[in-house]
């Protein structure tokens, strides 16, 4: 066999340690030319062959990566001890309410984020598929509509949920161990590394929440007691619990406004009413929906609550006549409570004024006024909103949640 001579320059190590490229492209070409054809007239062919081999190897690697992703599925347990959800959408979709699906109004705040997700007062009715009623039909990240369980030791707070049903997200499946540590959710000891895997307030985590407070420029936005309570909330702890068969562990995206498995334990299959598919595309509502009644234009929720279109100013008290639709026994003799929440910080404030200018949470309401302008009942009031831009007003009649509406202050 003829001895192959190889130039030594491409392998020179005088520039070590690794200051000089030892095995560059030119070096490999030189080696291949010598080994494959001794530097003959087809000396360029090995370099082309090597490039083809490189491209083939790259394609094979990509194929293997794709297969691994498909094998792992949308929720994969990573080697570093986390669980990720790569498919659940952050915002609900618009869907067609086809025959067999339910339309529901959910005015709880259990699932709201920065865009008031899953909140009927802002974006309309939710479409629920009642065909989803067994735990095996759900995957982590799905949103379900359920009846609050009637169990000993659990009493729903009307300020959190104004009805017997609300929405929440599936966190734990049967047989899984769930715990919350410093505001983080863990599943079988692995951190749930998703947008819904930690304590948030209106979609904001602890750092973003306090940064938002600071940016507002309001020193009284969160006094020391508020800071203490907020930090405790963002660092919530819950002992590990195992989800029994036939049940799901559910959490709202906004824990402070949700009745979920932190309070009543795993949700039994019998309480599931269906899977939330999204908003009804035909029943969209904007935060400032305008509608007509009695030849006048109103802002509010058609058939439930509204005020005549007018400017609401921050510089002075505003006289407002609230219009209500519904059975009169729903209003008659019931105290009216209004909680004002500026959407920039989520802090509740009383907004009703007495004649002497003092701010109060509720009016004592005797016989209802009305009918008026097509509404079934009405009530005049004075309100004061001390910040411009958008407010959410939550209404309670006789201590029971009635509705929410959005207004703009100038």
């Amino acid at each position: 066999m003829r001895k192959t001579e190889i130039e030594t320059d491409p392998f020179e190590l005088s520039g070590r340690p690794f200051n000089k490229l030892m095995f560059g492209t030119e070096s490999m070409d030189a080696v291949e030319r010598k080994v494959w054809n001794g530097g003959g007239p087809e000396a360029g062919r090995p370099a082309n062959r090597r490039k083809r081999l490189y491209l083939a190897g790259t394609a094979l690697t990509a194929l293997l990566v794709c297969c691994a992703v498909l094998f792992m599925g949308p929720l994969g347990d990573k080697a570093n001890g986390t669980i990720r959800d790569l498919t659940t959408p952050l915002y609900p979709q618009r869907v067609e309410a086809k025959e067999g699906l339910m339309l529901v109004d959910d005015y709880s705040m259990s699932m709201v984020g920065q865009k008031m997700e899953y909140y009927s007062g802002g974006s309309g009715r939710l479409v629920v598929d009642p065909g989803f009623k067994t735990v095996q039909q759900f995957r982590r990240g799905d949103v379900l509509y359920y009846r609050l369980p009637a169990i000993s030791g659990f009493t729903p707070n009307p300020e959190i949920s104004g009805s017997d049903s609300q929405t929440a997200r599936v966190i734990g499946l049967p047989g899984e161990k769930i715990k919350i540590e410093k505001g983080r959710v863990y599943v079988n000891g692995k951190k749930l590394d998703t947008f819904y895997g930690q304590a948030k307030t209106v979609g904001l985590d602890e750092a973003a929440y306090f940064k938002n407070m600071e940016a507002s420029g309001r020193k009284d936005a969160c006094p020391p007691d508020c800071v203490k309570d907020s930090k405790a909330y963002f660092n919530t702890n819950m002992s590990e619990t195992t989800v029994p068969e036939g049940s799901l562990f559910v959490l709202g995206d906004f824990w402070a406004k949700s009745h979920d498995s932190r309070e009543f334990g795993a949700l039994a299959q019998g309480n599931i009413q269906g899977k939330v598919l999204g908003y009804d595309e035909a029943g969209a509502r904007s935060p400032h929906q305008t509608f007509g009644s009695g030849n006048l234009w109103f802002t509010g929720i058609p058939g439930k609550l509204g005020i005549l279109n007018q400017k609401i100013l921050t510089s002075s008290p505003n006289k407002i006549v609230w219009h209500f639709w519904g059975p009169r026994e729903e209003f008659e003799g019931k105290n009216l409570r209004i909680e004002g929440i500026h959407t920039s910080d989520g802090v509740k404030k009383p907004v009703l004024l007495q004649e002497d200018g003092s701010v109060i949470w509720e009016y004592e309401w005797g016989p209802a006024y009305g009918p008026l302008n097509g509404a079934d009942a009405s009530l005049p009031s004075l309100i004061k909103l001390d910040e411009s831009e958008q407010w959410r007003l939550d209404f309670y009649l006789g201590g029971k949640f009635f509705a929410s509406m959005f207004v703009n202050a100038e």
Side-chain angles (χ1 to χ4, degrees), residues 4 30-40 42 45-46 49 53:
T4 302
V31 172
E32 289 185 1
R33 280 195 302 271
K34 295 291 185 181
V35 172
W36 284 89
N37 51 38
E42 296 182 0
R45 184 175 296 175
R49 179 181 182 277
L53 290 173

Side-chain angles (χ1 to χ4, degrees), residues 41-200:
E42 296 182 0
R45 184 175 296 175
N48 293 333
R49 179 181 182 277
R50 185 171 58 79
K51 290 176 182 177
R52 289 196 299 271
L53 290 173
Y54 171 78
L55 293 173
T58 302
L60 179 60
T61 301
L63 178 62
L64 290 173
V65 170
C66 290
C67 289
V69 171
L70 291 173
F71 177 77
M72 289 174 64
L75 281 86
D77 288 46
K78 299 185 69 179
N80 63 359
T82 64
I83 296 177
R84 300 187 66 194
D85 180 348
L86 304 177
T87 60
T88 298
L90 182 60
Y91 306 114
Q93 308 299 307
R94 287 282 175 194
V95 297
E96 181 183 355
K98 297 180 180 179
E99 186 176 354
L101 302 178
M102 298 191 305
L103 290 173
V104 301
D105 283 302
D106 186 1
Y107 291 100
S108 73
M109 302 288 288
S110 61
M111 293 293 294
V112 301
Q114 291 179 278
K115 293 188 177 181
M116 299 301 289
E117 296 89 293
Y118 297 97
Y119 182 70
S120 293
S123 297
R125 295 174 296 178
L126 299 176
V127 179
V128 176
D129 187 347
F132 284 75
K133 286 193 175 181
T134 61
V135 297
Q136 292 81 7
Q137 293 174 294
F138 289 89
R139 60 177 289 279
R140 199 181 340 273
D142 286 345
V143 176
L144 51 76
Y145 186 65
Y146 61 97
R147 286 190 301 272
L148 298 176
I151 59 175
S152 176
F154 170 65
T155 303
N157 181 347
E159 293 191 10
I160 291 179
S161 181
S163 71
D164 296 332
S165 300
Q166 70 162 55
T167 54
R169 195 180 297 277
V170 176
I171 301 296
L173 305 173
E176 292 184 331
K177 298 180 184 295
I178 309 296
K179 73 173 180 178
I180 300 175
E181 190 173 285
K182 294 184 177 179
R184 288 278 186 176
V185 178
Y186 291 82
V187 180
N188 293 333
K190 298 178 184 291
K191 182 170 72 173
L192 184 57
D193 186 17
T194 70
F195 69 89
Y196 56 81
Q198 68 181 108
K200 291 184 177 180

Side-chain angles (χ1 to χ4, degrees), residues 85-86 145 180 211 225 281 285 291 307 350 384 388:
D85 180 348
L86 304 177
Y145 186 65
I180 300 175
K211 182 179 180 180
D225 285 347
E281 66 180 5
R285 292 178 182 151
F291 62 95
I307 60 174
K384 181 70 167 67
S388 61

Side-chain angles (χ1 to χ4, degrees), residues 287-315:
H288 324 285
Q289 188 171 6
T290 299
F291 62 95
S293 176
N295 297 322
L296 297 171
W297 288 101
F298 289 79
T299 297
I301 304 172
K304 197 169 186 74
L305 171 66
I307 60 174
L308 289 170
N309 283 350
Q310 63 187 90
K311 286 186 177 180
I312 298 179
L313 306 176
T314 59
S315 57

Side-chain angles (χ1 to χ4, degrees), residues 293 303-304 322-328 330-332 365 368-378:
S293 176
K304 197 169 186 74
W322 306 105
H323 293 68
F324 300 89
W325 284 261
R328 285 191 65 83
E330 202 169 0
F331 321 109
E332 201 74 46
W365 193 359
Y369 295 94
L372 180 66
N373 300 325
D376 298 299
S378 61

